[in-house]
């Protein structure tokens, strides 16, 4: 489905400078960067994140970046993303996935460590918010390849062939 010409035809003309604030995995020096903008309210977004966390161990030559859309009006999202960031910083992928899976049940939200009030975390959250606002995305999840937004014709399962093609560039 994703030959190179088709893929390029579905990328936006403009290139966004992708944030340093996201959660990064894979080869950070790679010329091929896959950035996803996701929401904790979106089941497809969470499914996409799970797939990326699986794919990063198979296709290690890509720079993966996950950015969360964190509404100002939703304090719970702020807390969850703060704790996901904490788990990311600890290198706890299993804990990250477990927390992602438990968000709908609102588990653990009152037992988060003091990391939520940490200035570094607040700056991290604000940088993600600014990036999402500047990206001006119209749908979630949104996928950017090397800073260029992919049109919304894909479904979450398309991420596997997309990553396969990207890894060969």
């Amino acid at each position: 489905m994703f030959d190179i010409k088709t893929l390029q035809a579905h990328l936006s003309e403009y290139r966004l400078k992708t944030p340093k604030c996201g959660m990064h995995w894979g080869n950070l020096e790679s010329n091929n960067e896959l950035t996803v903008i996701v929401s904790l309210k979106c089941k497809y977004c969470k499914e996409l994140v799970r797939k990326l966390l699986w794919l990063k161990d198979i296709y290690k030559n890509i720079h993966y970046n996950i950015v969360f859309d964190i509404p100002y009006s939703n304090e719970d999202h702020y807390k969850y993303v703060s704790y996901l960031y904490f788990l990311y910083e600890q290198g706890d992928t299993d804990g990250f996935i477990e927390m992602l899976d438990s968000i709908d049940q609102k588990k653990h939200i009152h037992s988060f460590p003091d990391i939520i009030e940490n200035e570094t975390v607040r700056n991290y959250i604000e940088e993600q918010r600014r990036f999402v606002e500047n990206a001006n995305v119209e749908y979630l999840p949104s996928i950017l390849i090397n800073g260029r937004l992919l049109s919304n014709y894909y479904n979450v399962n398309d991420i596997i062939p997309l990553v396969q093609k990207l890894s060969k560039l």
Side-chain angles (χ1 to χ4, degrees), residues 131-150:
F131 175 76
V132 172
E133 287 172 6
N134 291 335
N136 203 21
V137 296
E138 297 177 7
Y139 49 87
L140 294 174
S142 287
I143 297 175
L144 290 91
I145 299 174
N146 298 326
R148 295 174 61 197
L149 187 63
L150 182 64

Side-chain angles (χ1 to χ4, degrees), residues 7 23-36 51-52 54-66 143-147 159-169:
L7 179 61
M23 297 177 192
H24 302 270
W25 285 278
N27 180 356
L28 303 183
E29 302 299 320
S30 175
N31 291 327
N32 293 314
E33 180 182 64
L34 179 69
T35 299
V36 296
K51 286 185 185 304
L52 285 180
W54 171 70
L55 287 167
K56 72 173 178 57
D57 293 329
I58 299 169
Y59 300 98
K60 298 178 181 183
N61 62 327
I62 297 173
H63 175 190
Y64 301 90
N65 186 15
I66 299 172
I143 297 175
L144 290 91
I145 299 174
N146 298 326
I159 197 67
I160 295 170
L162 191 148
V163 166
Q164 290 170 333
K165 291 290 184 195
L166 192 59
S167 73
K168 294 177 183 174
L169 292 179

